[in-house]
Amino acid sequence: KTKLLHIVPYKIFPPTNGGMLRNYYLCNELSQHFDLTLLILQEKSEFINNKGGFEWNNDIRIISPAPLTENVFNKYINAIKGRYYQKNLLNAAGSFTLRCYRPLKKLLIEENFDAVLFEHLGFESLLPLLKKYGSNAIKIVDMHNVDHLLFAQQNDLKIPENRKVFNDIKQAESNLDTVADFFFAC
């Protein structure tokens, strides 16, 4: 079977909203056709033991990065790590990048994935890693929303900080074709 890595930057099991339901059904369907590895920000034990009435295909391999330890010392260490991971001294890394960087690097070094499917825009900080260790993999982005429009609906764009975030999201969405081979939208 074709090897697919699916990266989801949030919890999906048991599904309690539309995005989670979409990912639940998508994972189960993909696992019927691909050798599926799921990198997810949810504790593996919570994922396995919290079915909530939903069935799960046990052939899906689940990789769950350890949560970040929150204390003052680790915040400084994580600030340094994040900038190192992104190769950018100005940008702080979010918890998604900090948690997923090392497990993703290990996966990409140990295995050759034919395709990598990312959920949402948060994956961009991991692109240098994918380019270095998984350059032959087809890159697919799954967008559930038009995030800049959703942000505009939920925030006052007259506030300069909100306008900056809006513009950053819009720019990232406008450049999806330069970082992904394909993208899904619903």
Side-chain angles (χ1 to χ4, degrees):
K1 281 186 174 178
T2 302
K3 294 180 74 157
L4 174 65
L5 173 61
H6 189 182
I7 301 174
V8 180
Y10 48 82
K11 296 180 179 185
I12 66 168
F13 209 68
T16 57
N17 64 38
M20 294 168 98
L21 282 165
R22 176 171 166 68
N23 276 295
Y24 165 74
Y25 287 110
L26 184 61
C27 285
N28 275 323
E29 187 62 30
L30 289 171
S31 70
Q32 303 301 313
H33 307 282
F34 298 94
D35 177 6
L36 182 61
T37 299
L38 178 63
L39 177 61
I40 186 165
L41 290 188
Q42 184 170 5
E43 295 294 323
K44 189 172 183 176
S45 61
E46 176 189 5
F47 191 90
I48 292 169
N49 298 323
N50 196 8
K51 299 218 185 310
F54 287 86
E55 295 298 320
W56 186 256
N57 181 341
N58 291 323
D59 291 336
I60 299 172
R61 185 170 124 201
I62 301 167
I63 307 294
S64 176
L68 297 174
T69 306
E70 292 293 326
N71 63 41
V72 174
F73 177 74
N74 283 338
K75 285 186 179 188
Y76 287 111
I77 296 300
N78 288 336
I80 293 167
K81 278 186 193 176
R83 285 165 173 82
Y84 172 76
Y85 292 162
Q86 296 181 97
K87 308 290 187 250
N88 186 331
L89 291 175
L90 301 178
N91 289 344
S95 63
F96 171 65
T97 303
L98 291 168
R99 288 182 65 191
C100 289
Y101 187 91
R102 294 181 85 190
L104 179 59
K105 181 177 178 180
K106 184 176 190 280
L107 274 172
L108 293 173
I109 288 171
E110 292 175 355
E111 298 184 43
N112 290 319
F113 289 96
D114 299 297
V116 179
L117 172 60
F118 296 97
E119 296 296 324
H120 299 288
L121 290 174
F123 73 92
E124 288 180 313
S125 61
L126 300 173
L127 279 174
L129 192 61
L130 186 61
K131 287 178 184 175
K132 184 171 182 176
Y133 298 106
S135 59
N136 293 330
I138 296 168
K139 292 167 271 323
I140 306 164
V141 178
D142 184 17
M143 296 295 292
H144 301 203
N145 301 297
V146 180
D147 287 336
H148 77 278
L149 295 179
L150 189 61
F151 185 86
Q153 291 171 359
Q154 298 171 347
N155 296 278
D156 181 359
L157 297 184
K158 293 175 186 159
I159 298 171
E161 295 82 18
N162 288 348
R163 175 54 75 178
K164 181 184 180 330
V165 171
F166 171 83
N167 289 334
D168 289 347
I169 295 170
K170 187 174 181 180
Q171 180 69 31
E173 287 178 330
S174 298
N175 290 327
L176 278 177
D177 64 321
T178 65
V179 296
D181 299 306
F182 300 98
F183 66 94
F184 303 145
C186 64

